[in-house]
C-alpha cells in the first residue's frame, strides 16, 4: 500500500510539473518568439477559407493562384509542435535549476523531498536539490548543518565542500561548518567519503575530519547525542570555545565579543533556552565572566577572563 501511495504521488508530482510546463509556454508568448507569429496563427485559425484565400490573393498580387497556407491546413499539428517544444524547453531548464532552501540565524526549517524523505536545517544553513531529476538522482547539496531522515530507495547522496555522505535509507546528521566536518549516524548505515578516505558508520557511530591533517576518523558516540539541536539542546564534546561561541551566535542571532583564550575546550549538554543561561553555563565552567553592551544599537555580549 505504501509503495502504491508513493507511486501515485510520484505520478502526481510529474503531472504538476507538466502543468507548470504548460503555464510556462503561455508566459513565453511574445518573449522568445515574435508576437506577430502568434497573431498570424490566430488570424488563420479564426478566419474562413474564403477570407484567407482573399487575404493571400491581395498579399501576392492580383491574377495569381494562391492556396491555403500551411498553418491553415494543419493548425493542430503546428500548435501541438509548438507546445511540445516549449514544454520540452521548460523541463530542460528545470533540470538545471535546483530548489534552494535557506535558514537565517536563529531559524530552523523542515523540507519534505519528492520521495517523502525529510531534511531539517539548523540555523544559518542551505540545501539545494532538483525536484525533477530527483526521481532518478537523489542528490542534495548542503552548506551548514542538517538532520536527514531518508526513505529507502536508490542511493541518497549529500554533498558538502568537505566530503560526501551516501546512504540507502537511514537517519543521520551532517555538520559542515568552518573548520569542522562531522557526520553522526542515528539509524541504518552511512558511508562518509573525503577524498580517497571512506568510513562506514552504523548506529551511535560518528565520523569527524581533522582539518589539520585532513584525516577522517571514526568515533563511538556513547551518549548518542545526535542532532540534539532538533530537541532544543546544545551538545558540545571537547569543542574549542571559539566554536561554541559561533554556535551561540548562530542560535541566538547575537554578536559575542570573545576576549579570552579561544582554544579553551568545552564539554556540555544544556537547553537552548536563552542567551543568559547559555552564557552562564559556558563561562562558569571555564572561569570566565560576561556582560552586555550596546554597540551601534545592537546588543553585544562581551566575554573576558
Amino acid at each position: 500500500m505504501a509503495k502504491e501511495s508513493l507511486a501515485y504521488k510520484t505520478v502526481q508530482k510529474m503531472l504538476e510539473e507538466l502543468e507548470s510546463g504548460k503555464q510556462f509556454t503561455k508566459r513565453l508568448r511574445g518573449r522568445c518568439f515574435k508576437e506577430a507569429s502568434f497573431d498570424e496563427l490566430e488570424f488563420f485559425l479564426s478566419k474562413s477559407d474564403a477570407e484567407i484565400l482573399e487575404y493571400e490573393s491581395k498579399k501576392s498580387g492580383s491574377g495569381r493562384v494562391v492556396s491555403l497556407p500551411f498553418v491553415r491546413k494543419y493548425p493542430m499539428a503546428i500548435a501541438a509542435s509548438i507546445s511540445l517544444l516549449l514544454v520540452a524547453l521548460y523541463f530542460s531548464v528545470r533540470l538545471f535549476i535546483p530548489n534552494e532552501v535557506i535558514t537565517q540565524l536563529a531559524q530552523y526549517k523542515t523540507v519534505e523531498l519528492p520521495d517523502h524523505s525529510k531534511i531539517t536545517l539548523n540555523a544559518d544553513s542551505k540545501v539545494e536539490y532538483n525536484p525533477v531529476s530527483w526521481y532518478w538522482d537523489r542528490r542534495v547539496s548542503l552548506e551548514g548543518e542538517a538532520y536527514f531522515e531518508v526513505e529507502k530507495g536508490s542511493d541518497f547522496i549529500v554533498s558538502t565542500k568537505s566530503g560526501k555522505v551516501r546512504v540507502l535509507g537511514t537517519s543521520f546528521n551532517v555538520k559542515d561548518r568552518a573548520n569542522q566536518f562531522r557526520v553522526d549516524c542515528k539509524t541504518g548505515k552511512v558511508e562518509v567519503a573525503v577524498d580517497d578516505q571512506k568510513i562506514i558508520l552504523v548506529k551511535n557511530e560518528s565520523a569527524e575530519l581533522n582539518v589539520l591533517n585532513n584525516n577522517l576518523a571514526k568515533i563511538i558516540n556513547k551518549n548518542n547525542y545526535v542532532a540534539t539541536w532538533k530537541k532544543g539542546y546544545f551538545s558540545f564534546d571537547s569543542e574549542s570555545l571559539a566554536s561554541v561561541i559561533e554556535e551561540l551566535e548562530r542560535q541566538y542571532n547575537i554578536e559575542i565579543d570573545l576576549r579570552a583564550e579561544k582554544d579553551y575546550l568545552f564539554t556540555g549538554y544544556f537547553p537552548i533556552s536563552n542567551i543568559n543561561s547559555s552564557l552562564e553555563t559556558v563561562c562558569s565552567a571555564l572561569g570566565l565572566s560576561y556582560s552586555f553592551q550596546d554597540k551601534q544599537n545592537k546588543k553585544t555580549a562581551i566575554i573576558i577572563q
Side-chain angles (χ1 to χ4, degrees), residues 240-242 258-265 286 288 305:
S240 69
L241 179 57
L258 181 57
R259 301 178 184 178
E261 179 59 52
K262 296 182 179 181
D263 293 330
Y264 279 141
L265 297 181
L286 299 175
L288 306 174
Q305 290 292 146

Side-chain angles (χ1 to χ4, degrees), residues 79-92:
S81 297
I82 293 176
S83 295
L84 287 174
L85 175 63
L86 295 181
V87 169
L89 175 62
Y90 168 80
F91 274 102
S92 297

